[in-house]
Amino acid sequence: MRLFRSCYRIPLLLLMFFVGLPIVFIFQLPGISSLPIAGETAGRFIVGLWSRYVVRSFGLRVKRIGTPLPGPVLFVANHISWLDITVLHSQRWMCFVAKAEIERWPVIGPIAKKVGTIYHHRGDNASLHGVMHQMLSRLQAGDAIGVFPEGRTLGGKEIGVFHARIFQPAILAEKPAQPVALKYGEKGCAQELMAFGAKENFMTNMMRVLGEPSRVCEVHFLEPVALGEEGRRKMADNCRQQIIQAMSVQ
């Protein structure tokens, strides 16, 4: 069955890459990207549409619970898979902070760069400072930003500590943070299956996931966390606790 599922999904994914991706690029061109479509700009609309088809190519049926805030918001989510970005884009446009290696990934890398992903070189303090500055500028300009405060995937077994520094731009811009819980499979049963396995790289993980059975992917938009006197550490802990609670709900 894995071979059968891969055989009919691979052509769908290739279609999204060789046909869909050029269309996405065209819609990002000046004069086209700002055109209104379905209540948002053409550039953002096509990213959401493309993301929904890509997610379906992997057999995922996205179910949204809750409502994403409009306008400039810091969306913070638990991190399971490289597909997390595409899943979130299928529900609401946002620019992401991601590790610099993603820029070199096939399919995901080109589209991530084109839609304004902010890249961070791990362990580089100068890079981190630049990321914070870009996040602040984007929020002040009215953009939404998506981040994974754990800083990395942890195999799907647990939710790591949220790095509080990533919340500083939201505090400076005086914008709220909204936690988002990502649950793969019924009751989150497929978290470990979707995550990187031992010694897996991007390509081997992608091919394995392509052969997985179809399953639901729940995206829980939780209670927004407003700015408070407690500061960024309290915001980070609040968001993390909400996500942990959502993950435990059966």
Side-chain angles (χ1 to χ4, degrees):
M1 289 301 296
R2 293 188 63 87
L3 179 60
F4 173 74
R5 287 190 288 265
S6 296
C7 285
Y8 76 79
R9 287 175 181 169
I10 288 175
L12 294 176
L13 192 62
L14 291 175
L15 182 66
M16 288 299 97
F17 181 77
F18 289 110
V19 178
L21 202 55
I23 293 175
V24 172
F25 284 148
I26 290 172
F27 271 69
Q28 307 308 313
L29 295 175
I32 298 178
S33 63
S34 59
L35 294 174
I37 297 181
E40 55 186 334
T41 65
R44 297 181 180 186
F45 172 82
I46 199 66
V47 169
L49 183 64
W50 183 84
S51 297
R52 287 190 286 275
Y53 276 108
V54 170
V55 169
R56 288 294 296 174
S57 298
F58 283 89
L60 295 174
R61 305 182 308 277
V62 179
K63 178 181 179 182
R64 181 198 291 181
I65 295 92
T67 304
L69 289 178
V73 184
L74 182 68
F75 291 100
V76 295
N78 55 315
H79 202 8
I80 303 100
S81 166
W82 57 270
L83 268 169
D84 296 345
I85 290 177
T86 311
V87 168
L88 287 169
H89 260 153
S90 75
Q91 300 303 301
R92 208 285 201 185
W93 185 91
M94 60 190 81
C95 55
F96 282 89
V97 175
K99 61 182 181 180
E101 293 92 324
I102 290 179
E103 189 173 8
R104 299 191 298 272
W105 286 3
V107 183
I108 298 299
I111 187 61
K113 181 179 180 179
K114 199 66 177 178
V115 299
T117 298
I118 302 170
Y119 289 112
H120 171 51
H121 295 269
R122 291 178 177 176
D124 187 335
N125 287 330
S127 173
L128 181 59
H129 179 75
V131 166
M132 294 296 175
H133 179 73
Q134 288 188 64
M135 288 177 64
L136 176 59
S137 297
R138 301 279 182 90
L139 288 169
Q140 290 174 333
D143 288 339
I145 297 177
V147 297
F148 302 105
E150 294 165 280
R152 59 193 177 97
T153 57
L154 296 174
K157 295 181 180 179
E158 59 182 310
I159 297 176
V161 175
F162 280 13
H163 297 290
R165 187 182 297 183
I166 203 72
F167 289 81
Q168 188 64 26
I171 292 176
L172 294 176
E174 299 183 342
K175 306 300 180 184
Q178 185 172 22
V180 185
L182 301 176
K183 298 174 71 171
Y184 290 92
E186 294 291 341
K187 303 177 183 179
C189 65
Q191 301 293 86
E192 294 181 54
L193 289 173
M194 296 299 296
F196 282 100
K199 298 181 180 180
E200 277 190 337
N201 56 30
F202 172 76
M203 288 301 298
T204 54
N205 179 268
M206 182 179 72
M207 295 307 299
R208 179 176 61 78
V209 172
L210 273 172
E212 288 289 321
S214 296
R215 55 173 51 98
V216 69
C217 174
E218 296 182 1
V219 183
H220 295 252
F221 288 94
L222 305 171
E223 190 67 25
V225 178
L227 304 178
E229 296 180 358
E230 299 88 351
R232 64 191 192 188
R233 181 72 265 164
K234 186 66 175 180
M235 288 183 72
D237 291 341
N238 189 326
C239 288
R240 181 173 181 269
Q241 287 305 314
Q242 283 200 57
I243 292 174
I244 290 174
Q245 183 177 1
M247 296 300 298
S248 66
V249 174
Q250 303 297 316

